[in-house]
Amino acid sequence: MNEEWTPPTVLLTVDLVVLTVRDDRLQVLLIERGEDPYLGTSALPGGFVNEYEGLDEAAVRELAEEAGLDGRRLHLEQLRTYATPGRDPRARVATVAYLAIAPDLPVPVAGTDARAAAWVPAGDPATPLPELAFDHGQILADAIERARGKLEYTTLAAAFCADEFTMGELRRVYEVVWGVALDGRNFHRKMLGAKGFLVPTGGRRMPEVGRPAVLYRRGPAGELYPPLLRSGGYPT
Amino acid sequence: MNEEWTPPTVLLTVDLVVLTVRDDRLQVLLIERGEDPYLGTSALPGGFVNEYEGLDEAAVRELAEEAGLDGRRLHLEQLRTYATPGRDPRARVATVAYLAIAPDLPVPVAGTDARAAAWVPAGDPATPLPELAFDHGQILADAIERARGKLEYTTLAAAFCADEFTMGELRRVYEVVWGVALDGRNFHRKMLGAKGFLVPTGGRRMPEVGRPAVLYRRGPAGELYPPLLRSGGYPT
DNA sequence: GCAAAAGTGTTTTGCTTACACCCATGA
DNA sequence: TCATGGGTGTAAGCAAAACACTTTTGC
């Protein structure tokens, strides 16, 4: 290696896959691009990482700027990094993708950065997504797969719910994200049996119709133990 | 946002956590740095991503250059990206960390790049590692945690073994990586019950002492179903 | 009372555990 | 024959799946 050789520089961005369960569907937050490559195309929210700024920090900032969401109150985790040469026609850009999980928010999202942001159903094979800019389609697919997997053995499902939630709301998260039907009675016992997950708040919530449901809050556990497995993990 | 504003540039590296099971211990491949920041300090192998080079490609290349390993034959997966400002004193450097799993190789590793590379025991609380350069200590810890977790619900353990392996060798991987003792008899049945994992080759291997063992090869399954859980996933 | 959602009890089935026991080999 | 690791059988204990049944509300 030559002493005078200098390594190539790249631009660094973060892109956010923000998922929620809304209207009994898994939905992702997309923006419409207002700038040149892929102008007018749907894309994941995101942007350049500033100097003196960490990745998580940049993700939280973009979440606020582009989606009007408080990233500190959301589940936010790094997904993976995409840097295939040519993925951005302008320059070499590496993007660190983040997975964010949000409850169904009362305000549909009003970005302070003012580009149209909207929830779009995703992950349903019957409703294909619009083409996304760059390699965002791949990123989204990876994110949904990660979220589906993590429901099995972590308490991630609660991140889709508000601070207080009912067992039925939690179950609907699993059903919608996995696209399966679960037995509410067994689900109930199973979740109460998971150590450190659900803490009753003492409150109850009246559904539109039916018996009032006990409210729970997330306990300290991050792992769901025992896990709730999607049956038949091996393609038959 | 100003039209004339240009985003900051960063340097992009890949760093490799290469794990193996050797002498009944989990070991990691470390190099001694031959250049200035942290000269002489132990570090993870890695280097800059070239122009027109993808991340996986860079990881495979560094694996060959710095460790003399054929990355195409190893399990290689992206771990996560570290980009805390100041993590490299020279410049803003983002590093994409990779986790590589290797069988216990007959040749102890002879890097063509010729910096001293060596296997060092890791993950054993009784044998603390030397201080590592940059944030490599954190990266290593994250990698080991990832590997431990993935043994539960994937067939990653086989990546620690040669092409053909015995049930005892596979069990030793679990025991060493998790630092627990497993009942060989139940383990045997459990693994044979996992769909699509183990395919008998028809061959046998003579141990130094004892009954010959049947040899297996990895089947098509990537998921281990049903999983083999470390008991009590929740801190008691 | 009826519909609908919440929640409990019970049975059956299958997996995990613990451990007794047999097998095949080298010394 | 013994020590050693490989491998099978089996019974106890749990957890999961299936489902009958009760509770609590609004209409």
Side-chain angles (χ1 to χ4, degrees):
Chain A
M1 212 183 279
N2 182 333
E3 285 294 326
E4 300 306 321
W5 179 84
T6 53
T9 59
V10 305
L11 301 179
L12 190 63
T13 61
V14 292
D15 282 316
L16 293 151
V17 180
V18 190
L19 298 179
T20 196
V21 169
R22 214 178 149 73
D23 303 330
D24 279 338
R25 286 173 147 195
L26 180 63
Q27 310 221 11
V28 61
L29 187 71
L30 296 180
I31 59 154
E32 190 181 317
R33 279 188 60 80
E35 292 177 28
D36 196 1
Y38 297 96
L39 194 155
T41 307
S42 290
L44 298 173
F48 289 104
V49 177
N50 290 334
E51 230 172 331
Y52 314 119
E53 186 183 47
L55 296 174
D56 291 6
E57 212 177 326
V60 168
R61 177 178 53 73
E62 290 291 344
L63 215 40
E65 286 181 9
E66 300 225 329
L69 296 172
D70 183 352
R72 294 163 305 185
R73 300 200 57 217
L74 266 51
H75 172 91
L76 190 64
E77 67 176 75
Q78 198 181 298
L79 180 63
R80 59 163 292 174
T81 296
Y82 300 80
T84 308
R87 61 175 291 281
D88 188 317
R90 293 168 293 182
R92 181 88 199 247
V93 179
T95 195
V96 182
Y98 274 80
L99 171 63
I101 305 293
D104 184 3
L105 301 155
V107 183
V109 166
T112 62
D113 211 25
R115 282 187 259 172
W119 293 112
V120 177
D124 177 6
T127 317
L129 275 169
E131 279 296 303
L132 299 188
F134 306 108
D135 48 4
H136 288 187
Q138 182 63 51
I139 297 175
L140 174 58
D142 292 349
I144 291 176
E145 193 41 45
R146 167 84 66 97
R148 284 186 174 142
K150 288 198 87 167
L151 289 192
E152 290 191 312
Y153 53 92
T154 73
T155 58
L156 182 66
F160 282 99
C161 300
D163 275 355
E164 299 195 343
F165 52 90
T166 67
M167 197 62 86
E169 289 165 1
L170 187 67
R171 176 162 51 89
R172 229 152 285 134
V173 169
Y174 277 92
E175 294 183 325
V176 166
V177 176
W178 282 352
V180 299
L182 297 175
D183 184 302
R185 299 159 294 188
N186 291 329
F187 182 86
H188 190 271
R189 253 187 314 246
K190 173 94 191 182
M191 287 296 150
L192 285 184
K195 299 168 194 163
F197 183 16
L198 296 176
V199 181
T201 65
R204 299 161 146 268
R205 174 173 300 163
M206 303 297 164
E208 294 194 11
V209 59
R211 174 174 170 172
V214 170
L215 286 171
Y216 299 94
R217 195 190 307 282
R218 272 192 71 157
E223 308 276 303
L224 184 66
Y225 189 85
L228 179 61
L229 302 174
R230 289 178 282 184
S231 302
Y234 179 64
T236 47
Chain B
M1 207 182 281
N2 182 330
E3 286 295 324
E4 298 308 318
W5 179 83
T6 54
T9 60
V10 305
L11 301 178
L12 190 63
T13 62
V14 292
D15 282 315
L16 293 153
V17 180
V18 189
L19 298 179
T20 196
V21 169
R22 217 178 147 73
D23 304 328
D24 279 339
R25 287 172 146 195
L26 181 63
Q27 310 220 12
V28 61
L29 186 72
L30 296 180
I31 60 154
E32 191 181 318
R33 279 186 62 79
E35 294 177 27
D36 198 358
Y38 298 96
L39 195 156
T41 306
S42 289
L44 299 173
F48 290 103
V49 177
N50 290 335
E51 229 173 330
Y52 315 118
E53 187 184 45
L55 296 174
D56 291 5
E57 211 178 326
V60 169
R61 177 178 53 73
E62 289 293 342
L63 215 41
E65 285 181 11
E66 298 224 330
L69 295 173
D70 183 354
R72 293 162 305 184
R73 300 201 57 218
L74 266 51
H75 172 92
L76 189 64
E77 67 176 78
Q78 199 182 299
L79 180 63
R80 57 163 293 171
T81 296
Y82 300 80
T84 309
R87 61 174 290 281
D88 188 316
R90 293 167 293 182
R92 181 85 198 252
V93 179
T95 194
V96 181
Y98 274 80
L99 171 62
I101 305 294
D104 185 1
L105 300 155
V107 182
V109 167
T112 62
D113 211 23
R115 283 186 257 171
W119 294 111
V120 177
D124 178 6
T127 317
L129 275 168
E131 279 295 303
L132 300 187
F134 306 106
D135 49 4
H136 288 186
Q138 181 63 50
I139 296 175
L140 175 57
D142 291 349
I144 291 175
E145 193 42 44
R146 165 85 67 98
R148 284 184 173 144
K150 287 198 88 167
L151 289 193
E152 290 191 312
Y153 54 92
T154 74
T155 57
L156 183 65
F160 283 99
C161 299
D163 274 355
E164 299 196 344
F165 53 90
T166 67
M167 196 62 85
E169 290 165 359
L170 188 66
R171 176 162 52 88
R172 229 153 284 135
V173 169
Y174 276 92
E175 293 183 326
V176 166
V177 177
W178 284 351
V180 299
L182 296 175
D183 184 303
R185 300 161 292 188
N186 292 329
F187 182 87
H188 191 271
R189 251 188 315 243
K190 172 94 191 181
M191 287 295 152
L192 285 184
K195 298 168 196 163
F197 183 15
L198 297 177
V199 181
T201 66
R204 301 164 143 266
R205 175 174 300 165
M206 303 295 165
E208 294 196 8
V209 60
R211 175 175 170 174
V214 170
L215 287 171
Y216 299 94
R217 195 192 306 283
R218 271 191 73 157
E223 308 275 303
L224 185 66
Y225 188 84
L228 180 60
L229 302 173
R230 293 178 279 186
S231 301
Y234 179 64
T236 48

